[in-house]
Amino acid sequence: MLEVRGLHAAVNGVEVLRGVDLTVLPGETHAIMGPNGSGKSTLAYVLCGKPGYEVTAGSASFLGQDLLAMPVEERARAGLFLSFQAPGEIHGVRTDHFLRAGYNEVRKARGEAEANVLDFDRLLKTKAKMLDVTERQTKRFVNEGFSGGERKRNEILQMAVLEPKLAILDEVDSGLDVDAMRGVAEAVNTLRTPERALLLVTHYHRVLAYIVPDKVHVLVNGRFAAEGGKEFALEIEAKGYDWLAQRAG
Amino acid sequence: MTTTGKTAQEFAAQEYKYGWTTPVEQETAPPGLSEDVVRWIAARKDEPEWMLEWRLRAYRHFVKLLEEERSPTWAKVHHPPIDYQSIVYWTAPKAKAELESLDQVDKEILETFEKLGIPIEEQKRLAGVAVDAVFDSVSIATTAKETLAKHGVIFSSFSEAIQEHPELVRKHLGSVVPYTDNFYAALNSAVFSDGSFVYIPKGVRCPLELSTYFRINAAGSGQFERTLIIAEEASYVSYLEGCSAPMRDENQLHAAVVELIAQERAEIKYSTVQNWYPGDEDGKGGVYNFVTKRGACRGARAKISWTQVETGSAITWKYPSVLLQGDESVGEFYSVALAKARQQADTGTKMIHLGKNTTSTIISKGISAGHGSNTYRGLVQIMPNAAGAKNYTQCDSLLIGDASAAHTVPYLEVRNNSASIQHEASTSKVSDEQVFYCRQRGLSEENAQSLIINGFCKEVFKRLPMEFAVEADRLLQVNLEGAIG
């Protein structure tokens, strides 16, 4: 599904990713761990094509397409989703209207008819109920006045509606207390399917106790310094990142 | 990487879609301004003596202001001096005969309004809207008159009102905006050609939205219309106006005056979607929109609400205001002003609190793109007798690109200590973060931009009557079209 080879990327002329290799198959959940500044979020942004993140070498293919050649919105329409670490507010734009616009773009890209207001409302209602998001919240302006937990849940709701093939969750647990985190994690778990792949970008181990990964990668200084199975996350939790940084030089 | 920089350039280069002209035979006043021209206009309209005298007084006042070089210079707009002798003050399509019905209106003119999406043929009328269509200096047709007459509502061209209801016009004309009010009001009072007249009798809720569409067609001519709306005790009316003009290299002057009078417990809702030709990308051509709009809440608990969406014009100089005379009267001003390319907008409002417990609300949304300059200028004045007056002002500016400018100039004058005043202001940019967020959900960059901009305007758009909200939204979309990507 996702094949990343020798990926180098720079932000403001500073190289942040220095040769990342990653293969994600359908249905797999991968965790990308690493200390602050190791390039975790950069990797997420580069894969999604955020302006300002310049790929200097390497390749990435998504479902057989050259991912790096596609504009941001085409990547999204092809089934790549990013749950933002700190999703921004859009004043005056209702969440449901925002989501319908995105949903219809995805449908158009798949060659499907656009959903009308009524059909979409029905769909949104079902998904919102499933994820414990109130109808009132879907009518509020995008992320405006939302608590940290509501914002994260709103991201997962968007994921549920857009039904991506690969979802990157950037620090899905940041800023949440244990109960809120568990709630968000459970919401994510309901969206795991045998086809859908997940990429969990996280600093801490704790969320991985709820969203259990198939593979764990540790990013240090823009490169994967170590990889392992789900139990590897526990080892990291116990030993910290420093030994890996030293090993990587 | 500044994706919005590219956006701004293309945004500024957006083409004007109403820029064509209609080939009609015209009748015009001799170019230039003189007492003879004022007399010519009055004679052409067969006006009574009192009207001519009022015009002449205004004319003399204007000449004095002109001689003393007292055209307003305080607004943050720049333009070469206007040659008032080169303007044609009255232009009308040549009438083939006295018009009895719409069938006799020139086909070309009917088609003009059709093309603009203004339905003046009765059978094609929008449900619930009566229309007055003004082409250059004359009103072409006013629809739905019979329906309105049943309720005692008068909705006619200004010219017709002078003939049919001289007592009403004479009583109220200039009572809110006297010809001595300002430079352009004086000019308008001398040469005004046509416009709309509305009278809502006591206790009547006007059953239709009333709407006037202004079209400048002729070259070298200005448009000087006047609108007068009188809402008697406990009546209600919602009035809408729209405007457009052909693309021309020379600037055209539009100096209108609008007067609203709301008696006790009456409510007037006045909405404008202004899309005069803004000039080209380099600032060549375009309409100078120098307009005086003011309403008076004469009686207790009267309410006047201005909503404007100003997307066109090379220069906009406009401050729809409310005199809050009656106790507990309410004044509102909701505005979206767009300045792109080389457009300059200096717009805002004046809320003059005279009565007790009067309330005013000001919501201003300025969008600047390209080299556009947008200024909010507003005055809130609390007079000594206005105990318990309240004002809330919110001015938000949105900048697109790096060359655009936004200014906020609030004036506040409080002469009664019991007043409560609240002012909030913000300046923001369409952030790359927001655009990226939208695109990550599948929206194109262009759709992301218009979504964000429409959200910014939300509080104002939702004040517009349904059809107009759709039109305003569409206009903003059209202005944004091709701006991104």
Side-chain angles (χ1 to χ4, degrees):
Chain A
M1 172 171 286
L2 178 70
E3 287 270 349
V4 179
R5 290 288 165 261
L7 189 65
H8 289 246
V11 183
N12 295 326
V14 178
E15 193 164 59
V16 181
L17 295 184
R18 301 189 299 160
V20 171
D21 294 287
L22 179 66
T23 301
V24 180
L25 300 175
E28 286 185 346
T29 294
H30 291 233
I32 312 279
M33 299 184 71
N36 287 333
S38 60
K40 302 187 300 287
S41 288
T42 299
L43 177 61
Y45 285 148
V46 167
L47 291 177
C48 291
K50 185 172 182 177
Y53 289 71
E54 193 195 346
V55 174
T56 48
S59 66
S61 81
F62 177 58
L63 299 166
Q65 287 179 279
D66 179 2
L67 187 68
L68 303 178
M70 296 157 78
V72 180
E73 57 270 32
E74 274 177 32
R75 299 183 198 199
R77 292 169 193 167
L80 179 63
F81 178 88
L82 173 64
S83 165
F84 283 62
Q85 187 180 149
E89 299 175 355
I90 308 175
H91 177 74
V93 178
R94 268 168 50 172
T95 302
D96 54 345
H97 294 171
F98 174 66
L99 253 179
R100 191 173 76 234
Y103 179 69
N104 277 330
E105 290 297 344
V106 171
R107 286 187 66 95
K108 269 195 282 184
R110 288 186 199 144
E112 296 165 358
E114 290 186 44
N116 65 33
V117 180
L118 291 176
D119 289 343
F120 181 78
D121 277 357
R122 214 167 294 135
L123 171 87
L124 183 62
K125 228 178 208 166
T126 314
K127 302 275 183 183
K129 201 168 175 188
M130 198 173 84
L131 299 177
D132 223 6
V133 173
T134 62
E135 203 180 330
R136 204 174 61 85
Q137 197 176 326
T138 64
K139 300 215 180 321
R140 282 161 68 185
F141 296 154
V142 177
N143 294 321
E144 201 174 79
F146 282 33
S147 69
E150 283 172 333
R151 282 184 196 221
K152 293 288 159 96
R153 214 172 261 276
N154 194 28
E155 292 292 288
I156 305 307
L157 173 63
Q158 297 185 43
M159 174 179 159
V161 169
L162 297 174
E163 300 188 319
K165 299 194 168 68
L166 170 63
I168 304 172
L169 310 178
D170 189 7
E171 305 283 1
V172 75
D173 59 329
S174 69
L176 303 186
D177 61 31
V178 176
D179 290 332
M181 180 196 60
R182 193 186 299 132
V184 169
E186 276 165 11
V188 171
N189 281 330
T190 62
L191 299 176
R192 292 176 76 170
T193 70
E195 294 81 35
R196 181 170 297 143
L198 296 184
L199 214 52
L200 292 165
V201 174
T202 181
H203 183 89
Y204 296 107
H205 163 263
R206 62 172 196 171
V207 71
L208 302 181
Y210 297 96
I211 310 172
V212 181
D214 301 303
K215 284 185 185 148
V216 176
H217 313 258
V218 180
L219 197 59
V220 177
N221 289 331
R223 254 185 232 124
F224 285 139
E227 281 158 310
K230 62 185 171 201
E231 55 295 325
F232 186 50
L234 288 170
E235 196 182 330
I236 304 273
E237 183 73 0
K239 290 160 76 177
Y241 290 116
D242 285 350
W243 63 282
L244 284 169
Q246 278 158 17
R247 202 175 75 176
Chain B
M1 188 168 153
T2 57
T3 37
T4 43
K6 186 176 76 186
T7 296
Q9 260 179 19
E10 287 165 355
F11 182 54
Q14 177 56 38
E15 217 180 302
Y16 184 70
K17 311 230 161 159
Y18 307 88
W20 38 272
T21 55
T22 309
V24 286
E25 261 196 89
Q26 292 167 353
E27 189 184 358
T28 60
L33 187 61
S34 66
E35 197 165 310
D36 285 346
V37 166
V38 175
R39 286 179 188 282
W40 189 95
I41 292 169
R44 179 65 187 70
K45 288 154 58 79
D46 204 11
E47 285 178 351
E49 194 58 28
W50 61 266
M51 193 66 255
L52 173 64
E53 270 164 25
W54 194 77
R55 284 177 181 278
L56 288 173
R57 283 201 296 276
Y59 168 74
R60 285 170 203 134
H61 183 71
F62 177 74
V63 169
K64 195 170 132 244
L65 294 175
L66 199 60
E67 277 165 3
E68 294 169 6
E69 295 180 4
R70 280 166 63 189
S71 67
T73 51
W74 41 264
K76 202 172 180 58
V77 297
H78 304 280
H79 59 82
I82 296 168
D83 178 5
Y84 292 93
Q85 294 308 341
S86 70
I87 295 170
V88 174
Y89 288 88
W90 200 88
T91 306
K94 212 169 224 170
K96 285 174 179 148
E98 197 63 17
L99 295 181
E100 295 285 325
S101 76
L102 266 182
D103 305 339
Q104 291 161 302
V105 174
D106 247 340
K107 225 176 122 235
E108 286 82 6
I109 295 169
L110 281 181
E111 279 168 8
T112 297
F113 285 102
E114 195 102 320
K115 213 164 146 187
L116 292 167
I118 314 304
I120 50 177
E121 287 181 72
E122 293 283 331
Q123 68 270 24
K124 290 182 185 165
R125 236 174 54 212
L126 283 172
V129 183
V131 180
D132 183 21
V134 177
F135 189 86
D136 288 330
S137 303
V138 291
S139 170
I140 299 303
T142 310
T143 66
K145 277 182 146 169
E146 285 161 30
T147 316
L148 295 170
K150 266 183 242 158
H151 294 81
V153 171
I154 303 168
F155 178 39
S156 74
S157 71
F158 208 95
S159 304
E160 195 180 323
I162 293 170
Q163 304 298 335
E164 306 290 325
H165 310 282
E167 70 299 338
L168 284 174
V169 175
R170 202 172 174 179
K171 183 176 167 196
H172 295 288
L173 179 73
S175 69
V176 186
V177 181
Y179 62 77
T180 49
D181 188 79
N182 70 68
F183 190 81
Y184 300 111
L187 176 63
N188 172 285
S189 302
V191 300
F192 77 89
S193 43
D194 217 331
S196 300
F197 175 82
V198 176
Y199 178 81
I200 316 289
K202 186 172 164 179
V204 170
R205 197 180 162 85
C206 185
L208 299 173
E209 303 268 1
L210 304 184
S211 146
T212 301
Y213 195 90
F214 295 99
R215 172 77 177 169
I216 297 177
N217 186 62
S221 69
Q223 193 173 54
F224 306 91
E225 85 276 4
R226 254 190 118 89
T227 297
L228 176 58
I229 299 177
I230 303 154
E232 295 286 12
E233 195 181 317
S235 66
Y236 168 86
V237 63
S238 168
Y239 178 89
L240 329 165
E241 63 173 359
C243 344
S244 68
M247 290 162 74
R248 298 194 187 283
D249 285 346
E250 78 271 25
N251 294 107
Q252 284 184 289
L253 179 61
H254 172 256
V257 171
V258 174
E259 295 178 281
L260 312 182
I261 294 160
Q263 304 291 4
E264 196 179 319
R265 280 178 291 129
E267 179 177 351
I268 302 175
K269 211 169 134 57
Y270 193 105
S271 313
T272 304
V273 174
Q274 182 266 106
N275 191 32
W276 296 117
Y277 176 54
D280 69 10
E281 208 182 329
D282 303 318
K284 193 160 196 214
V287 170
Y288 291 165
N289 189 35
F290 299 160
V291 171
T292 307
K293 290 183 168 175
R294 193 175 305 150
C297 286
R298 287 271 159 82
R301 279 181 281 154
K303 179 175 176 183
I304 289 177
S305 181
W306 298 102
T307 305
Q308 60 173 24
V309 178
E310 304 280 323
T311 60
S313 295
I315 302 177
T316 295
W317 178 97
K318 182 183 167 191
Y319 316 90
S321 304
V322 184
L323 299 170
L324 297 149
Q325 296 170 303
D327 291 348
E328 293 174 50
S329 59
V330 176
E332 294 176 335
F333 174 74
Y334 300 96
S335 169
V336 167
L338 171 71
K340 59 172 187 177
R342 301 276 171 181
Q343 277 177 287
Q344 310 170 57
D346 193 302
T347 182
T349 184
K350 289 191 277 186
M351 293 291 175
I352 315 294
H353 292 254
L354 297 151
K356 290 181 183 54
N357 299 315
T358 44
T359 309
S360 63
T361 304
I362 300 170
I363 308 282
S364 163
K365 305 274 181 178
I367 303 166
S368 317
H371 289 87
S373 162
N374 214 324
T375 302
Y376 166 80
R377 186 183 304 278
L379 168 68
V380 175
Q381 196 174 35
I382 313 288
M383 300 305 273
N385 289 332
K390 282 197 194 82
N391 165 263
Y392 173 76
T393 301
Q394 184 190 330
C395 298
D396 298 322
S397 304
L398 187 70
L399 298 172
I400 300 172
D402 299 321
S404 61
H407 314 274
T408 301
V409 191
Y411 301 88
L412 186 59
E413 227 184 287
V414 182
R415 295 197 231 159
N416 184 307
N417 288 333
S418 64
S420 135
I421 311 280
Q422 222 185 320
H423 182 95
E424 288 175 26
S426 76
T427 301
S428 54
K429 288 198 119 182
V430 175
S431 74
D432 292 349
E433 274 305 318
Q434 282 178 320
V435 173
F436 175 60
Y437 188 50
C438 295
R439 292 177 73 195
Q440 214 300 307
R441 298 302 183 250
L443 272 68
S444 66
E445 193 170 350
E446 183 173 350
N447 285 343
Q449 288 266 4
S450 38
L451 190 81
I452 294 164
I453 291 173
N454 276 298
F456 176 75
C457 302
K458 188 73 148 208
E459 283 103 330
V460 176
F461 281 176
K462 74 176 186 199
R463 299 278 159 182
L464 291 169
M466 187 62 165
E467 276 105 357
F468 249 39
V470 173
E471 168 69 12
D473 189 60
R474 195 186 61 83
L475 209 54
L476 218 56
Q477 298 282 356
V478 162
N479 276 309
L480 281 163
E481 227 171 71
I484 304 116

